[in-house]
Amino acid sequence: AAGGGIGGTARELTPPGWAQVTRTAWAMRLCPNHTPTVVLTSSVACCMQTAERLRALADDADVLKAEAGMRDSSCAQERQPCRPHPEALHCAELGFPDVGAALGAGPR
């Protein structure tokens, strides 16, 4: 995940990280036949947010609804909906060490 910075499990996804995962999710929507069967994540907040964002944007029901309203248009094409992504499973082995705690609080 593009969380940025070093920290513990509370590290949030940064704005560039949100942008990166959103671009990735939209690119994946162009391949409706590709759906992961397993999604693993660590307990770091930015990793869980990445998995949740990918899953949320894989739901293309909003686009299909809009396209259904354009069926009368000559440019409208019928396509297959994306298959839903599975919920992410927590995998302890993917956990990052809390570098801040391991090295101490640092200079004050």
Side-chain angles (χ1 to χ4, degrees):
I6 296 175
T9 59
R11 188 175 73 227
E12 297 283 324
L13 198 56
T14 62
W18 279 106
Q20 179 183 351
V21 71
T22 299
R23 282 191 309 272
T24 300
W26 276 100
M28 290 172 66
R29 282 176 67 155
L30 297 174
C31 306
N33 293 326
H34 169 75
T35 302
T37 56
V38 175
V39 176
L40 300 175
T41 185
S42 76
S43 59
V44 177
C46 62
C47 294
M48 292 187 296
Q49 291 169 335
T50 297
E52 290 167 4
R53 182 75 172 155
L54 287 172
R55 185 169 194 254
L57 289 179
D59 179 6
D60 61 350
D62 57 335
V63 175
L64 293 173
K65 184 177 179 182
E67 288 175 349
M70 297 180 2
R71 291 279 187 254
D72 298 335
S73 171
S74 61
C75 66
Q77 295 181 10
E78 195 163 336
R79 64 178 181 81
Q80 296 295 317
C82 294
R83 292 179 286 184
H85 286 215
E87 286 192 44
L89 302 172
H90 178 260
C91 180
E93 287 79 11
L94 294 176
F96 296 99
D98 186 349
V99 177
L103 298 177
R108 293 186 182 174

